Amino acid sequence: MKTYPIIDWHCDVLMKLHQHPEYSFYDNENLDVNVLKLRKGGVKVQACAIFIDPDTYIDNKYDVALGQIDAFKNNVLKQDGIVHIKHFFEIENLK
C-alpha cells in the first residue's frame, strides 16, 4: 500500500512571528506550528500563509505583509531542514 506524506496547505505562523519577533520558529510553544511540532507530526510540507487582519488600517497592510515575508526569510528559513519550495516538483526531492 502506498503511503503519502502529511502536507498542510495553510497556517498563520507568519502573522504570529511578525507580531512577536522574539519567538523562534524552532520550538516556541506559543506557535501552533514550529519545527519540533512539524517533525513530531511527520509533516513533510507546510505552506505558510500571509494573513492580514481585515481590521488592519489600509495604509499599514502592505507593511504587515512585508513584515511577514521578513519573518519567513529570517526566522523560518533559518531553521535546519527547512527549505523554500517554489515549484511542486521540488516536493518529490525532499528527504
Side-chain angles (χ1 to χ4, degrees):
M1 181 165 120
K2 186 169 183 165
T3 60
Y4 296 93
I6 296 173
I7 298 175
D8 180 6
W9 289 116
H10 178 86
C11 78
D12 295 330
V13 72
L14 298 180
M15 177 182 69
K16 291 180 182 178
L17 289 171
H18 173 64
Q19 292 171 339
H20 300 279
E22 72 278 9
Y23 286 4
S24 169
F25 184 63
Y26 180 74
D27 63 355
N28 190 284
E29 286 297 320
N30 294 311
L31 300 173
D32 295 324
V33 173
N34 65 37
V35 172
L36 294 182
K37 291 176 183 178
L38 291 171
R39 289 180 182 158
K40 183 177 180 182
V43 177
K44 186 167 186 167
V45 176
Q46 176 65 67
C48 296
I50 295 175
F51 175 78
I52 301 168
D53 189 313
D55 293 331
T56 301
Y57 182 64
I58 190 80
D59 289 344
N60 295 336
K61 290 185 180 201
Y62 184 71
D63 288 334
V64 170
L66 291 178
Q68 291 182 34
I69 293 167
D70 186 61
F72 178 72
K73 290 179 177 178
N74 295 308
N75 197 332
V76 175
L77 290 180
K78 298 291 182 182
Q79 307 302 322
D80 284 340
I82 301 295
V83 296
H84 185 184
I85 298 294
K86 298 175 187 120
H87 304 281
F88 279 105
F89 70 85
E90 293 175 316
I91 293 172
E92 295 175 7
N93 297 329
L94 294 175
K95 295 180 181 175

